[in-house]
Structure formats: C-alpha cells, structure tokens
Amino acid sequence: MSAIQRIALVLTIIGAINWGLIGFFQYDLVAAIFGGQSSTLSRIIYGLVGICGLINLGLLFKPNEEIERAPQAKPTR
C-alpha cells in the first residue's frame, strides 16, 4: 500500500468516525473543531475526506497480495 493510500485511509477513517458521531450523538466533531460546517477550513476537511474516499475505492479492486503469494498446491496422483 502506498503512502498516499495510507494517508487516504486514515482520513477516511476519521471521516467515518465523524459520521458515526453525527449519527449517534448529533455531534459534528469537524465542525466543532474548525468553526462550524460552513467555515472554509471545515469545508476543506470535508472535501479532503471525500477525495480520500474516492482514492480508497481502488482498494476494493486491488487483488489480495496474500492470495497471489500463496504457493500453488501440486496435484496428487
């Protein structure tokens, strides 16, 4: 996994935690930290989390490396 994908994954997890807080407790942590939902900084954070989610879509279609590295069993006769 590349460094960009790791950063994107971390930001996506932060976004998921924020959505969980909104869903369960009606508390928007990003808005609370950065000055409301309409502040420029909050909108930048929301945009970055959205872009990171799109980057992470590639992880769905990436083959599992462990499966590819597994030795093939030899057929028995």
Side-chain angles (χ1 to χ4, degrees):
M1 186 180 306
S2 71
I4 291 176
Q5 284 179 322
R6 288 184 188 273
I7 293 168
L9 187 58
V10 168
L11 286 175
T12 303
I13 291 168
I14 290 169
I17 291 169
N18 191 54
W19 274 108
L21 288 171
I22 291 169
F24 290 120
F25 305 110
Q26 296 180 355
Y27 182 73
D28 189 345
L29 184 62
V30 173
I33 292 173
F34 297 110
Q37 287 183 341
S38 61
S39 75
T40 303
L41 197 52
S42 290
R43 293 182 62 191
I44 290 170
I45 299 296
Y46 295 138
L48 285 174
V49 169
I51 291 169
C52 290
L54 293 174
I55 290 171
N56 285 329
L57 279 175
L59 294 175
L60 286 174
F61 304 106
K62 186 175 182 180
N64 189 354
E65 294 173 3
E66 293 176 7
I67 292 173
E68 290 180 355
R69 291 182 189 170
Q72 298 293 327
K74 294 182 181 179
T76 57
R77 291 186 183 196

